[in-house]
Amino acid sequence: SPVCASSDRRRLDLTLAHATAAGSPGGRCASLRGRSRNRPLCRRLTCGTMAPIDRPADHATDDPHDLVLRADADPGAVRAIAEAALADAPPDLDPSDAIRAWALGLALRHLRELKDAELWLRRAVVALQPGTDDHTGASLSLSGTLAFHGRFADAEEVLSACSPSVDMAGRVQYQRAAMAEHQGDLALAIEGYEASLAGFRLSGDRLGEAHALSGLALVRVAAADAPTALAEFGLAMSIYQELDLPLLAAIQRHNLGFAALRAGDTVAAMRHLAAAEREVRPFDGSFVEIGLDRVEALLVAGFEREAIDKAAEVASALETNEVDAERGPMLIGLARTLAS
């Protein structure tokens, strides 16, 4: 896989994960963090639509955009609702079903079912009217999912086919910054994230601000500036909490643990990682990377027996989750060796 500045699950849900109701931007995606160790994309090519949340996540209406807005906060529920609504949909989706397909793709990405996420996001992009904010938002989500797989040329092709409005053009710029980050161009990524952060703050877009802060923090870790990253991850987490997005807040808690580990504060790292595991538990899906980071933190702290116990807990999930093919077995093998 390509050498990327940021990784993985933690970013995946950040950027891409966010979507927009008509007229306002949102992306995990997710669902990514700084990759100082040549790790697969997994949590932040999350480049996505970044939509300010203008109604409570549990507010139900007949507007399918509500499902898009809820996909971050409750992906399991959104998946169930969208799949039921689309069960008998014809191949050529009408505009409302196209929005539901977008929401389903976002939810599936959060749940790490990336092949199906790409399928539904592509159906949404094909069905939506080019030049609309919905089309641009769904295109951002699809582009981010492709980039997650390292398919950067395909991701750029999707972005190039967009005709974004003035508001959405900034989100497209943000997505390209995330892609630059994942390809290892830290200078270009920092420049893009800082510009998007300034724009989001100027417009009062709190969700966009949180995404940009997380993006910056991931690059800081990759650039060996973990102390600055800790402050930015913390601020991003507080904004997600303010917006009632507990899954994204938990992802930032995970990132705080990762950054603390890189900063040499093992105690804080173990505290944040343990909290992150508790906070993601109510959501569907497996977050193996948190477990792997806990194994690493325990090894650094010298708790070999605890590390092997944790390694055994996450080992069975490695085959069914898209984590670093080398890192998982390496950490588990090291833990077993030290504990023997």
Side-chain angles (χ1 to χ4, degrees), residues 12-326:
L12 173 68
D13 303 320
L14 280 206
T15 23
L16 306 181
H18 295 57
T20 76
S24 51
R28 154 225 127 10
C29 201
S31 59
L32 318 166
R33 75 178 178 196
R35 307 183 28 159
S36 56
R37 285 190 308 275
N38 188 20
R39 306 169 72 175
L41 303 185
C42 181
R43 177 187 208 315
R44 182 152 114 72
L45 262 182
T46 55
C47 325
T49 20
M50 311 171 121
I53 302 299
D54 55 4
R55 59 175 69 92
D58 61 353
H59 179 82
T61 73
D62 292 332
D63 186 349
H65 289 98
D66 284 327
L67 291 176
V68 173
L69 293 174
R70 292 173 58 195
D72 290 326
D74 196 352
V78 167
R79 174 187 187 170
I81 295 169
E83 284 183 337
L86 293 167
D88 298 320
D92 296 328
L93 300 177
D94 64 30
S96 292
D97 279 344
I99 301 300
R100 294 184 182 96
W102 179 14
L104 178 55
L106 289 173
L108 290 169
R109 192 181 57 225
H110 271 304
L111 299 173
R112 310 291 184 257
E113 299 183 29
L114 299 181
K115 289 183 180 179
D116 286 342
E118 179 185 341
L119 182 154
W120 283 105
L121 290 170
R122 196 173 291 280
R123 288 189 68 183
V125 169
V126 169
L128 291 166
Q129 179 65 37
T132 63
D133 284 355
D134 283 337
H135 179 269
T136 300
S139 296
L140 285 166
S141 297
L142 173 60
S143 173
T145 302
L146 294 169
F148 179 92
H149 286 293
R151 294 161 59 187
F152 295 105
D154 291 341
E156 176 57 35
E157 182 178 357
V158 171
L159 292 181
S160 297
C162 293
S163 300
S165 65
V166 173
D167 287 340
M168 293 299 286
R171 279 59 181 182
V172 173
Q173 179 191 30
Y174 175 91
Q175 179 112 329
R176 287 189 166 118
M179 289 166 60
E181 172 192 355
H182 285 275
Q183 293 177 87
D185 192 337
L186 302 188
L188 183 60
I190 288 175
E191 179 183 340
Y193 286 132
E194 287 180 337
S196 63
L197 177 61
F200 291 138
R201 284 176 167 166
L202 184 64
S203 66
D205 183 344
R206 295 287 281 166
L207 184 57
E209 180 181 355
H211 290 337
L213 284 165
S214 182
L216 271 174
L218 291 167
V219 179
R220 308 281 193 210
V221 175
D225 186 7
T228 302
L230 284 167
E232 290 167 341
F233 281 137
L235 183 53
M237 182 175 71
S238 69
I239 296 174
Y240 288 131
Q241 290 169 337
E242 171 191 322
L243 296 176
D244 192 22
L245 293 170
L247 177 56
L248 294 184
I251 286 167
Q252 294 313 300
R253 179 81 71 186
H254 181 192
N255 286 337
L256 280 168
F258 173 73
L261 190 58
R262 293 294 168 269
D265 191 343
T266 308
V267 173
M270 290 193 293
R271 184 178 69 250
H272 285 305
L273 293 170
E277 277 198 325
R278 292 194 302 272
E279 291 167 6
V280 302
R281 207 164 285 149
F283 301 94
D284 294 333
S286 176
F287 291 77
V288 177
E289 284 283 347
I290 302 177
L292 290 176
D293 282 345
R294 289 195 70 187
V295 173
E296 183 175 343
L298 289 165
L299 289 172
V300 170
F303 297 112
E304 289 89 357
R305 174 50 57 188
E306 290 84 351
I308 186 59
D309 290 343
K310 189 63 189 176
E313 182 182 320
V314 300
S316 62
L318 287 174
E319 295 182 357
T320 57
N321 287 271
E322 299 188 37
V323 300
D324 191 324
E326 296 178 358

